[in-house]
Amino acid sequence: MTTGIAATQDTPIGPFTTIVDDDQRVLASGWTADIEELRILIHPTMRPDTVRSAADLGTVTAAVDAYHRGELDRIDDVPVAQRSGEFLMHAWDVLRTVEPGAPVTYSHFAELSGRPAAIRGAASACARNAAALFVPCHRVVRIGGALGGFRWGLPAKKWLLAHEAA
């Protein structure tokens, strides 16, 4: 039986919850206070059976606070653990290299991920990303600048992009 640890903190765009494993690796995160909503996003082979609440996750909580205060690079070194097929795992690693304030299109993201024709695959990597913010899928937009989708809502994506552009 595995147990995750979760903490929820206030941000300018609502509550943000992070679930970590025993090694302080982010398993899932997003702008919700609903731990179960996040827990079910975790790959079944890594999904904790139970999640206990904590007031603070140390460096992870500090990184989220710092990011929302404008220290955009503080999330970069937070370890993340996700599992899927080879392309998605590679695409998630590539997402972590997209700089704040420099969003890319889905087609450019597909190119960066090594499969220029896999635009739907790139979009799927964003849609299936359980570790929002730490794997910054919000930095991928449609050609022409339209926002595209975002699990946590387009107002949140718009705020994140504006925050990073400032």
Side-chain angles (χ1 to χ4, degrees), residues 36-67:
E36 183 61 17
E37 182 180 9
L38 286 173
R39 191 186 76 82
I40 61 171
L41 299 178
I42 301 167
H43 191 275
T45 62
M46 301 177 75
R47 186 179 301 142
D49 300 308
T50 60
V51 178
R52 85 178 155 78
S53 292
D56 188 288
L57 299 173
T59 57
V60 175
T61 297
V64 172
D65 282 339
Y67 170 87

Side-chain angles (χ1 to χ4, degrees), residues 117-138:
I119 298 167
R120 285 181 187 228
S124 180
C126 293
R128 293 181 56 196
N129 172 34
L133 186 62
F134 302 101
V135 177
C137 54
H138 64 273

